[in-house]
Amino acid sequence: MIFFYSYDRYLWKLKFSKIPNLSGKWNGRIKTSYGKGEEIDVEVNIKQTWSSISIVLKTSNSKSKSKTASISLSEARLVYQYFNEPLSSSVATLHKHYGVTFLDFDEIDRLEGSYFTCKDRQTHGEIFLERKK
């Protein structure tokens, strides 16, 4: 049990595993299909162990939390399903919704990909992130 805990939390980061360490804070932008294709600044916080990963994305209007997430090593891709909750100050057309995000990591400090939302919201877009140093 002690070995698993140590490996799960710390040792895998020492290159004992092929799983990339995406933990940390990320900044970037979303190009959305909503409206006239506006760009939105985002902050992302990724918490990761060897056995789990969680993603929180914040904008000035809402906060999204991952419900499920996985890393595909063969595709160098992070995929997660999220639930988005608008802030009370956001526009009336923004409501709670689910979505899916695909982020590729060719470089360990850059994530790029796309997202789409559930059928009642029907938006999609591109995401560009860089890890904070």
Side-chain angles (χ1 to χ4, degrees):
M1 198 66 160
I2 293 170
F3 176 76
F4 176 78
Y5 179 83
S6 298
Y7 189 85
D8 188 54
R9 301 283 187 240
Y10 309 108
L11 297 178
W12 72 275
K13 294 178 187 179
L14 301 174
K15 302 297 180 199
F16 292 115
S17 171
K18 293 182 181 182
I19 297 173
N21 183 359
L22 302 176
S23 295
K25 297 191 183 294
W26 300 74
N27 285 330
R29 67 187 188 289
I30 294 175
K31 289 183 180 180
T32 180
S33 66
Y34 179 76
K36 296 179 181 179
E38 58 193 62
E39 289 194 19
I40 301 167
D41 291 332
V42 297
E43 289 183 7
V44 175
N45 189 18
I46 299 177
K47 294 183 180 178
Q48 181 181 4
T49 67
W50 179 73
S51 64
S52 68
I53 187 166
S54 65
I55 301 98
V56 175
L57 182 146
K58 294 179 184 178
T59 72
S60 59
N61 291 317
S62 67
K63 182 177 185 178
S64 297
K65 294 181 182 179
S66 63
K67 295 298 180 185
T68 63
S70 66
I71 294 175
S72 170
L73 295 178
S74 63
E75 296 178 337
R77 178 176 283 177
L78 168 63
V79 179
Y80 68 95
Q81 186 252 339
Y82 63 86
F83 182 69
N84 180 278
E85 292 185 278
L87 302 176
S88 59
S89 59
S90 67
V91 294
T93 57
L94 184 58
H95 56 276
K96 295 178 182 180
H97 62 276
Y98 288 94
V100 176
T101 300
F102 304 89
L103 294 171
D104 296 326
F105 49 86
D106 291 338
E107 298 177 38
I108 200 65
D109 290 328
R110 290 181 57 106
L111 298 172
E112 294 184 6
S114 59
Y115 77 94
F116 63 90
T117 61
C118 57
K119 68 179 183 173
D120 63 328
R121 182 117 176 103
Q122 294 186 348
T123 57
H124 56 88
E126 298 174 319
I127 301 176
F128 305 92
L129 299 171
E130 290 191 6
R131 191 189 309 253
K132 285 185 179 181
K133 301 275 180 181

